[in-house]
Amino acid sequence: MAKKELVPAKQEKARERIKNFRTELVDYRQYFDRLKKDREDSQTVHNRAELLGRRPHHAATPENPYAQSSLPNASPFAPAPGTSLSFGASPADQTRESHALREQSFMSNTNAQLDEYLERGRAVLGDLGQQREMLKGTQRKLYSVGNTLGISGDTIRMVERRAKQDKWIFWAGVVLFFAFCWLVIHFLR
């Protein structure tokens, strides 16, 4: 447009506008990229916090159920702080009751965590089953494509035999790994 102007003043003014427009465009793109990066960073932080927040190991669950726990006492039968646990019982009975309540609280927390682990395991197993079915379907399609392209049956059988050998190698590695882990735990305790 600037080149088509006949008046030199208007032509210069149009070139100046184009120059300003291009600099603004570069500035806006840089600003957009900066905002996009900030958004990605905040989304990453949020996703990380959400993912790590689901993990139960960050909870302050004591290993010893008789230790003073910093967890809130969620039992509806637990006494309020500063009140007596039983009517007319000796202090030894009160400490025994408080230990039993702490142990019950520890066991219920452990039970809830184990339930969560089992549910995660079920979800992972279900996902693995779906992936296996998807891969089997893909394998069938590849075999049919291979047959269509003229790959011989001997080549396909050789590939299947190699896959079976790889599976045996994998499971042998799994057994050796667990044996090694058991030996480490057994002899380092």
Side-chain angles (χ1 to χ4, degrees):
M1 288 284 290
K3 293 178 183 178
K4 292 181 181 179
E5 284 291 335
L6 298 176
V7 181
K10 286 186 179 181
Q11 191 177 23
E12 186 62 33
K13 191 173 183 180
R15 285 187 184 145
E16 193 65 35
R17 280 190 208 156
I18 291 172
K19 183 180 173 185
N20 288 340
F21 176 74
R22 286 185 178 151
T23 57
E24 286 178 1
L25 180 63
V26 168
D27 290 343
Y28 285 133
R29 283 187 178 160
Q30 289 174 349
Y31 182 68
F32 177 73
D33 290 340
R34 203 169 337 120
L35 286 177
K36 188 176 175 183
K37 185 182 179 308
D38 291 345
R39 171 71 176 148
E40 288 173 354
D41 290 346
S42 68
Q43 189 67 31
T44 302
V45 168
H46 174 72
N47 289 345
R48 179 178 170 80
E50 181 182 338
L51 181 64
L52 294 178
R54 291 184 201 159
R55 296 172 126 186
H57 65 73
H58 72 283
T61 306
E63 287 188 32
N64 182 358
Y66 298 106
Q68 291 290 344
S69 83
S70 62
L71 299 174
N73 200 351
S75 172
F77 304 106
T83 61
S84 165
L85 289 174
S86 59
F87 300 106
S90 69
D93 290 338
Q94 288 179 357
T95 58
R96 188 177 310 140
E97 286 179 11
S98 68
H99 286 301
L101 285 172
R102 270 195 307 241
E103 183 176 7
Q104 189 274 336
S105 172
F106 175 79
M107 291 298 176
S108 66
N109 289 341
T110 303
N111 189 24
Q113 287 180 349
L114 286 175
D115 287 342
E116 186 178 336
Y117 290 146
L118 288 173
E119 189 60 35
R120 282 187 194 168
R122 284 187 199 107
V124 167
L125 186 61
D127 290 345
L128 287 174
Q130 289 175 352
Q131 289 176 4
R132 180 177 183 263
E133 292 303 317
M134 185 185 307
L135 288 174
K136 283 229 180 240
T138 305
Q139 183 183 23
R140 275 187 240 113
K141 288 179 184 176
L142 285 175
Y143 285 154
S144 67
V145 167
N147 285 333
T148 304
L149 294 176
I151 297 176
S152 69
D154 293 335
T155 307
I156 291 175
R157 281 189 287 281
M158 184 177 67
V159 169
E160 288 176 347
R161 188 173 55 243
R162 178 60 193 213
K164 186 182 281 188
Q165 290 171 352
D166 288 348
K167 190 187 320 180
W168 280 104
I169 292 170
F170 170 76
W171 285 111
V174 168
V175 168
L176 288 173
F177 173 75
F178 281 115
F180 176 75
C181 289
W182 181 81
L183 287 172
V184 167
I185 290 172
H186 181 70
F187 288 111
L188 291 181
R189 273 194 178 175

